[in-house]
Amino acid sequence: MFGRRKPTLREAGDEALLDLIYQVKDKWRSAQKTQANVRGLDQTLEMESKIQQAKFEFLYRQARQRKVASDAVSREVASRNALR
């Protein structure tokens, strides 16, 4: 009511972007686990993992551009870059 600030459209978009990043990150992890657990490596499984990784990287770059990246997402990218 009084003294409360209405969330702006940008803030709502930033929250939606972070939610989407977390969803894609979970899908990427599950694709990696599936790829690791399957004996015969199938090209479709490998492609699915790469697609999810590309989606995550794109969304992460968008979040960085908007200066919205959370600590959890930043730690994920930092740990992945350390392994390269």
Side-chain angles (χ1 to χ4, degrees):
M1 201 171 204
F2 296 112
R4 245 190 201 176
R5 194 171 64 89
K6 288 184 181 178
T8 63
L9 185 60
R10 179 175 175 86
E11 290 171 351
D14 291 346
E15 288 178 26
L17 179 62
L18 282 177
D19 289 340
L20 187 59
I21 287 173
Y22 289 126
Q23 289 174 3
V24 169
K25 184 173 80 168
D26 289 340
K27 287 181 184 178
W28 180 30
R29 280 204 178 143
S30 69
Q32 284 179 325
K33 286 180 184 178
T34 304
Q35 186 178 357
N37 291 333
V38 172
R39 286 187 181 185
L41 187 60
D42 191 12
Q43 285 185 348
T44 57
L45 292 174
E46 187 178 352
M47 284 294 137
E48 180 66 29
S49 179
K50 287 185 179 188
I51 287 170
Q52 295 301 327
Q53 179 182 3
K55 284 181 185 178
F56 176 79
E57 289 176 356
F58 173 76
L59 292 171
Y60 178 74
R61 281 192 303 258
Q62 292 299 314
R64 288 287 306 240
Q65 201 172 37
R66 294 176 70 138
K67 297 183 174 141
V68 125
S70 70
D71 293 333
V73 175
S74 297
R75 275 186 268 127
E76 172 72 27
V77 172
S79 68
R80 195 187 52 187
N81 285 339
L83 298 175
R84 283 187 179 179

